[in-house]
Amino acid sequence: MQSEFLFIHHRNWSVFLAFFVLLVFPAVWPLVLIKVAATRFFLRYFVNPTPSAWDYLFGKREQFWVIVHLKDLRKVGGRFGTGSFASSSPAEPQIYLEQVWQLDDHGAFLSPIERSRGILVMGDQIAAVELFH
């Protein structure tokens, strides 16, 4: 009876351990590595694994106001929010702003453009991107 209890106890523990090793650990491990790679200690001694400043900035998924300066000297202003998107490496930089705003001559945001569903700006048209809180 004692040996039967130990067998069942060890079998349950083995099933739990197998579940953790085969399913939980592989899912959590990349998240831990990403957090460790972003620490100051890691960045002091190793090369940053983020491929570009574009990926670093938009990978944070923060919300902010944006003015995109185009190569033809036009400016596009808008809101980069939860419904917006920016491409990531190795794709060419592209940005989708969910809300487009009219800008005055000094770059101040005046009002949202009515009935706009956003704007997609292709990377080969972008000269610079300004960000505001």
Side-chain angles (χ1 to χ4, degrees):
M1 181 128 184
Q2 179 75 12
S3 63
E4 183 178 315
F5 174 75
L6 289 175
F7 174 74
I8 292 172
H9 178 70
H10 287 297
R11 192 175 104 211
N12 289 343
W13 184 250
S14 297
V15 168
F16 172 75
L17 190 59
F19 172 78
F20 185 80
V21 168
L22 295 174
L23 296 175
V24 175
F25 188 70
V28 172
W29 184 243
L31 301 174
V32 170
L33 283 178
I34 288 170
K35 290 291 186 186
V36 168
T39 63
R40 286 182 188 222
F41 175 80
F42 183 88
L43 294 175
R44 187 178 325 152
Y45 298 105
F46 299 98
V47 175
N48 190 324
T50 307
S52 70
W54 182 273
D55 290 331
Y56 171 77
L57 174 69
F58 291 110
K60 294 171 130 186
R61 296 301 304 156
E62 292 179 1
Q63 299 181 39
F64 35 75
W65 295 96
V66 177
I67 296 177
V68 180
H69 297 263
L70 303 176
K71 290 180 180 176
D72 64 6
L73 303 180
R74 290 182 298 153
K75 295 178 184 178
V76 177
R79 180 85 178 137
F80 186 88
T82 57
S84 298
F85 180 78
S87 61
S88 59
S89 187
E92 181 180 328
Q94 299 174 355
I95 186 169
Y96 166 70
L97 301 175
E98 65 186 55
Q99 203 176 69
V100 185
W101 280 62
Q102 293 177 350
L103 300 173
D104 69 10
D105 295 336
H106 302 291
F109 293 88
L110 297 175
S111 62
I113 296 178
E114 291 185 37
R115 300 188 322 165
S116 172
R117 297 206 49 208
I119 188 167
L120 175 63
V121 183
M122 308 307 280
D124 61 349
Q125 300 300 313
I126 299 173
V129 178
E130 274 186 274
L131 309 167
F132 305 92
H133 282 287

